[in-house]
Amino acid sequence: MSQTRWLALDVARGLAVLAMVVFHSIWDLSYFGYAPANLPWSPPVRIFGHSIAFVFLFIAGVALVLAHGGGMRWPAFWRRFAVIVAAAALVTAGTYVAFPKAFVFFGILHCIALASLIAVPFLLAPWPVALAVGAFFIVGGEFLSSPVFNADWLQWIGLSTSEPLTEDWRPLFPWAGALLLGVAAAKLSLLVYDGRAVASSRPYPTSGAKSWLPFLGRHSLIIYLAHQPALFALFLGLAYLAPPPTDTRDFVASCEARCFEEGGEGKLCHDACECTAREAINSKALAGVTDEAERGRRLNEIAERCVAKGGLQR
């Protein structure tokens, strides 16, 4: 196949990139306290995130057919596979540093890489075969899931009965099915529109297009890797310059309860806890701090200072 891309494919990928940035912005707003903490796990946002992942995997399947539908171009395939594996390893390493208890061990890039290998025999098979196997991956988990797959080293398969703690989890069941459905859809399209019709249906290659959407689509992998660190840095700066509004009532209540348990007096405990909450906000001591242990250490330091001065200064 020539290097000419379909404009529609790059536009679709570009739209998916924009949706991905919006989704992660919602997650970051919640993480940094500018939106309700449970917002990312609300049904509409979860459906939004799953839809974005489905589109990316589906497009990856379509792209495989466009590149290799007439015969496997192995050097190109292995180059693409190596790039995706390297990017997936980078995501794993980066999230392990940022979120050691919830790092990404099998996210969407991991799934695209492995599902691409699974898709190879279906690139040359009739489209109904890819459709059937894709449907099997999507619904098979409902029938094949078992506690046997709950072991950490088997979670990537997607047949476990519990969901692991991770920032992005796209196991083979059901997500490889989305890529295979893309393979089936592309093969069916090529069957319906023969080579001459397909060639005439794409007179505007994106290499010469001036639209920014195809540009985003052509550079989706780089944007995927860079956008979340950039967003995180942006929100870290925002949290320092303009901390989110904080309701201290729950903190003060739990602080007073701990103080009482340790034998503190009522007024002293109340004043010291009010002082701790007030000083934490005024000094921006917690701005940009995402590690719970570090947050606790800084709060303890503030609390000790407040207790030392009686918690009475305002």
Side-chain angles (χ1 to χ4, degrees):
M1 176 186 172
S2 70
Q3 295 301 309
T4 302
R5 295 170 180 266
W6 281 12
L7 177 61
L9 193 66
D10 280 335
V11 169
R13 195 184 283 112
L15 289 171
V17 166
L18 286 179
M20 173 187 66
V21 173
V22 171
F23 173 76
H24 284 147
S25 296
I26 294 173
W27 191 94
D28 290 342
L29 284 169
S30 175
Y31 186 81
F32 284 93
Y34 294 97
N38 64 343
L39 180 61
W41 289 271
S42 62
V45 177
R46 285 177 63 88
I47 292 172
F48 182 45
H50 291 331
S51 300
I52 296 167
F54 182 93
V55 169
F56 271 116
L57 283 155
F58 186 91
I59 290 175
V62 173
L64 279 174
V65 173
L66 296 182
H68 307 286
M72 288 302 299
R73 299 166 56 242
W74 287 111
F77 177 87
W78 289 121
R79 281 195 302 271
R80 172 184 175 275
F81 179 78
V83 168
I84 295 174
V85 169
L90 185 61
V91 169
T92 295
T95 55
Y96 185 80
V97 172
F99 311 103
K101 294 183 179 179
F103 69 96
V104 176
F105 63 90
F106 203 85
I108 190 167
L109 291 180
H110 305 72
C111 185
I112 288 176
L114 189 51
S116 295
L117 288 178
I118 295 173
V120 167
F122 303 103
L123 295 177
L124 302 178
W127 69 266
V129 179
L131 177 65
V133 176
F136 169 75
F137 270 99
I138 288 177
V139 303
E142 297 296 323
F143 306 98
L144 301 176
S145 60
S146 167
V148 172
F149 296 98
N150 288 351
D152 291 344
W153 65 280
L154 293 176
Q155 292 278 6
W156 59 273
I157 299 174
L159 296 178
S160 60
T161 57
S162 62
E163 186 170 333
L165 180 62
T166 178
E167 295 298 324
D168 183 29
W169 187 46
R170 305 295 171 186
L172 289 183
F173 285 87
W175 293 102
L179 187 143
L180 289 170
L181 291 184
V183 170
K187 289 182 69 66
L188 177 59
S189 297
L190 292 176
L191 184 64
V192 173
Y193 303 101
D194 63 24
R196 292 185 302 277
V198 170
S200 64
S201 70
R202 48 181 172 91
Y204 304 109
T206 61
S207 57
K210 302 300 183 182
S211 172
W212 52 273
L213 269 178
F215 176 85
L216 294 180
R218 292 195 302 272
H219 299 87
S220 58
L221 181 58
I222 294 175
I223 297 172
Y224 176 83
L225 294 174
H227 83 283
Q228 187 63 316
L231 285 174
F232 221 70
L234 175 65
F235 280 106
L236 279 172
L238 181 62
Y240 182 79
L241 296 174
T246 304
D247 187 346
T248 62
R249 289 174 295 181
D250 289 342
F251 169 79
V252 171
S254 61
C255 175
E256 288 178 347
R258 289 195 302 271
C259 184
F260 295 153
E261 291 175 359
E262 295 172 0
E265 298 179 359
K267 186 176 187 308
L268 176 62
C269 286
H270 175 77
D271 289 345
C273 290
E274 286 276 6
C275 172
T276 301
R278 184 173 59 252
E279 290 299 316
I281 294 173
N282 292 340
S283 66
K284 300 181 181 179
L286 303 182
V289 179
T290 58
D291 182 77
E292 290 300 322
E294 178 63 16
R295 288 173 64 90
R297 186 187 68 79
R298 296 191 184 190
L299 284 172
N300 285 336
E301 290 180 353
I302 297 171
E304 289 173 0
R305 292 197 298 268
C306 284
V307 170
K309 62 184 180 180
L312 299 177
Q313 293 184 2
R314 298 185 183 274

